[in-house]
Amino acid sequence: MYARSDQDTARTASAYAELTGAYTIDPVHSTIGFAVRHAMISNVRGRFTRFEGLLKVDGAHPAGSEAYVSVQMDSLDTGIQERDAHLKGPDFFDSGTFPLMAFQSTGIVPVGDGAFRLDGRLRIKDIELPLALDVVFGGAGEDAYGQHRIGFEGTATLRRSDWGLTWNTALETGGVLISDKVTLTLDISAVRVEVAPAT
């Protein structure tokens, strides 16, 4: 499914070569969010408001790019304080004991048309497991302050129980209060802080 021809690889290198460099994620213009099915009928959506990240982009050889993101778990926000307190507490993330969620990339595969599969490892609490993100390149350019930016959107689906997040309540009508399946969403704007030296 992810096989690419030499021509495809050359085209990708040509398109992204000028983006090579190190970038820091701009949390003011980025979003890290999630959605989970609630009561078997609707989705609850939330986001994290404090996070940081570093992207090392190798535009000529995208497979050599790297990404690291760290999220402060006590910044979780679903819009309801009582629910947020429960999610931050021992039943779920236990943010007082485990203040950070972290993702470290292990590889990236171009799949065509500006899309990539970003493989990595996600750590929640004391459990670290593989996670693959479907990522789409959003664009690049200078902002009003002359800073060079790049943008990406990403999604991933995971089972929260794999990370030990198993709390739930059975419903009288059948099923459970909270789905095991969680969708992560990222909308990232990153600012270049270092241009890779010419080779």
Side-chain angles (χ1 to χ4, degrees):
M1 178 179 179
Y2 293 109
R4 290 175 58 82
S5 68
D6 292 340
Q7 184 178 5
D8 288 337
T9 301
R11 187 181 299 114
T12 297
S14 175
Y16 300 117
E18 64 182 19
L19 304 181
T20 298
Y23 297 76
T24 57
I25 293 176
D26 175 6
V28 176
H29 297 98
S30 302
T31 302
I32 296 179
F34 61 89
V36 61
R37 200 77 171 163
H38 179 262
M40 309 293 290
I41 59 173
S42 64
N43 286 316
V44 167
R45 302 182 186 277
R47 65 191 182 105
F48 298 95
T49 60
R50 295 196 304 278
F51 51 86
E52 59 186 11
L54 176 66
L55 310 177
K56 294 181 179 180
V57 177
D58 185 340
H61 305 93
S65 300
E66 301 176 25
Y68 175 78
V69 180
S70 177
V71 177
Q72 295 188 37
M73 299 308 289
D74 65 356
S75 72
L76 183 151
D77 179 15
T78 66
I80 298 178
Q81 291 185 355
E82 183 178 356
R83 180 168 59 203
D84 293 349
H86 189 199
L87 291 172
K88 297 174 189 178
D91 284 340
F92 286 94
F93 294 114
D94 195 5
S95 62
T97 305
F98 304 99
L100 297 178
M101 174 174 66
F103 176 83
Q104 173 74 55
S105 68
T106 57
I108 183 168
V109 180
V111 298
D113 296 325
F116 301 83
R117 188 189 73 228
L118 180 63
D119 296 319
R121 298 189 66 82
L122 177 67
R123 186 175 185 85
I124 301 176
K125 299 173 75 170
D126 57 351
I127 298 176
E128 184 177 289
L129 295 171
L131 180 72
L133 286 156
D134 295 319
V135 176
V136 177
F137 175 62
E142 289 193 356
D143 63 18
Y145 302 98
Q147 300 178 112
H148 188 81
R149 291 179 178 265
I150 56 174
F152 297 91
E153 294 182 33
T155 60
T157 300
L158 57 85
R159 294 183 303 182
R160 61 188 180 90
S161 59
D162 289 344
W163 280 265
L165 304 174
T166 58
W167 186 93
N168 225 325
T169 297
L171 299 174
E172 293 182 0
T173 55
V176 292
L177 182 65
I178 305 172
S179 173
D180 190 33
K181 186 174 73 173
V182 179
T183 300
L184 297 179
T185 57
L186 298 88
D187 196 341
I188 300 298
S189 176
V191 178
R192 185 155 61 190
V193 294
E194 179 183 344
V195 179
T199 57

